[in-house]
Amino acid sequence: MAHLLPGISAARIPTDRLAVNVLQLDGRAGIPVVLVHGNVSSGLFWQQLMLDLPEQYRPIAIDLRGFGDTDPEPVDATRGVADYADDVRATLAALQIEQAHLVGWSLGGGVVLQCLIDAPSTFASVTLVNPVSPFGFGGTSGPDGTPVEPVGLGSGGGTANPGFIAQLAAGDRSADSPLSPRNVLLAHYVKPPFVPDGLDTLVESMLSTRLGEDHYPGDFTVTDVWPGVLAGGRGVLNTISPNNLRLDDLSALAVKPPILWVRGGDDVIVSDTSLYDFARLGELGVVPGWPGPQAYPVQPMVSQTRAVLEEYAAAGGAYREVEIAGTGHSPFLEKPAEFLAALTATLDSAG
């Protein structure tokens, strides 16, 4: 593959669910570290981190279904992110990996939490990188994730920007439109004016996203209640709608591996003031008609994650929160040395 860095190879791994594209380091053995990417991306985002990991670790970057070179099987969002999590676990089984460390970014953070819930003894540690809130994306309030009524309002497939979808569909590799994948990455995936190495490869990764109701963004229904859309049951964005996703009951797990939570201090995607939250856009006047904080409050995404992890710790688990200042949604790209230090400290201590 033209977009692979030297020393990294790709292979499509047959599993009992689908064929999954996996990136690995040539000749690297050691303790498996499984890397799960976020929305509108692929395993290509992890390449530099893979090369930077110490030799005792074996990095494995997985393309989720409908991204990269993994089979574009439809996504049943009524299961939350379980389709993705089941694919990850099936891939580990096909690779004959019995235990691994998990790293999940954004949407992938939700996926690795689902993996942890489903098979906690399988994972030595879990690292969350700017993860989706355990209560979903959009349409909840407070640290306990109280849903806005009706549940799923302002979340799911109807929340994606149609202009951005059009640029993805057109395969736009330019910087001509503010909604081109290149410009969205530079404006929101990272904190401006940072420009990541291998930008062209990252754009190709974004363009590998399959589009439609079964993939990105997914289906939705319209409603007369502001902001006018309700989450559906198919496709990517509906997997993280509050009516489909519940990842908050980590405290009940019988086995509690350590959790590292790394977040960019200036993330505008997953934030207590997210620019992708309809309520925040309404509060700013960008989306007219906002009914106010009583009817539709801004979602405190970071506070919700912290509340769930505090409950995990109170129940006998352990977590560490690391904020990397001056970075956006992708601290592993923006300040790789700081990110690697936090990650390897967790990997080394977990054993």
Side-chain angles (χ1 to χ4, degrees):
M1 292 177 62
H3 299 288
L4 295 178
L5 295 178
I8 295 178
S9 59
R12 280 170 46 83
I13 306 299
T15 77
D16 60 5
R17 292 175 57 79
L18 76 173
V20 176
N21 190 60
V22 171
L23 306 186
Q24 299 194 68
L25 292 188
D26 298 334
R28 177 72 67 91
I31 303 168
V33 179
V34 179
L35 305 165
V36 183
H37 64 83
N39 194 14
V40 192
S41 64
S42 74
L44 292 174
F45 270 70
W46 295 117
Q47 288 192 92
Q48 190 57 55
L49 176 63
M50 294 174 68
L51 293 171
D52 291 343
L53 272 175
E55 290 188 1
Q56 67 264 35
Y57 296 109
R58 173 191 174 189
I60 301 167
I62 292 176
D63 287 349
L64 298 176
R65 62 171 60 196
F67 300 95
D69 289 323
T70 289
D71 285 350
E73 294 298 314
V75 179
D76 179 1
T78 64
R79 305 183 67 227
V81 293
D83 268 357
Y84 297 131
D86 288 351
D87 293 345
V88 169
R89 293 172 56 219
T91 305
L92 297 184
L95 293 171
Q96 298 182 319
I97 293 172
E98 296 183 355
Q99 190 173 58
H101 298 276
L102 282 177
V103 181
W105 168 47
S106 195
L107 166 67
V111 175
V112 300
L113 282 180
Q114 186 69 62
C115 289
L116 174 63
I117 290 168
D118 293 340
S121 62
T122 304
F123 305 108
S125 75
V126 174
T127 295
L128 307 173
V129 188
N130 296 72
V132 63
S133 164
F135 300 104
F137 199 100
T140 66
S141 66
D144 62 350
T146 301
V148 174
E149 295 293 340
V151 180
L153 181 67
S155 186
T159 64
N161 189 306
F164 177 55
I165 297 170
Q167 300 306 115
L168 287 172
D172 186 359
R173 294 167 172 81
S174 75
D176 298 337
S177 165
L179 294 176
S180 73
R182 182 180 302 272
N183 283 333
V184 168
L185 187 155
L186 293 174
H188 290 166
Y189 281 39
V190 299
K191 181 183 178 180
F194 178 78
V195 178
D197 293 337
L199 177 58
D200 289 345
T201 293
L202 301 181
V203 171
E204 293 301 321
S205 172
M206 296 174 72
L207 290 171
S208 75
T209 304
R210 310 313 198 280
L211 303 177
E213 290 189 339
D214 283 324
H215 298 292
Y216 181 80
D219 66 339
F220 66 95
T221 58
V222 297
T223 175
D224 292 335
V225 184
W226 190 92
V229 292
L230 283 167
R234 299 157 57 195
V236 178
L237 293 185
N238 293 306
T239 68
I240 53 174
S241 61
N243 50 324
N244 293 324
L245 184 76
R246 295 297 295 193
L247 299 172
D248 55 301
D249 196 15
L250 303 180
S251 60
L253 297 178
V255 178
K256 296 182 177 68
I259 296 177
L260 170 65
W261 174 28
V262 183
R263 60 185 184 85
D266 298 306
D267 188 5
V268 299
I269 297 177
V270 175
S271 164
D272 283 358
T273 54
S274 170
L275 294 181
Y276 285 67
D277 178 8
F278 265 127
R280 176 58 175 162
L281 295 174
E283 183 180 60
L284 294 172
V286 176
V287 178
W290 180 54
Q294 296 302 316
Y296 201 115
V298 174
Q299 180 184 2
M301 301 177 186
V302 171
S303 299
Q304 289 175 347
T305 295
R306 186 176 295 116
V308 169
L309 293 180
E310 288 288 352
E311 290 180 359
Y312 184 74
Y319 90 94
R320 182 166 67 107
E321 178 181 350
V322 175
E323 177 184 327
I324 300 183
T327 66
H329 194 56
S330 311
F332 60 96
L333 296 177
E334 298 166 83
K335 292 191 177 179
E338 289 186 41
F339 180 84
L340 183 65
L343 175 61
T344 54
T346 291
L347 301 180
D348 293 346
S349 64

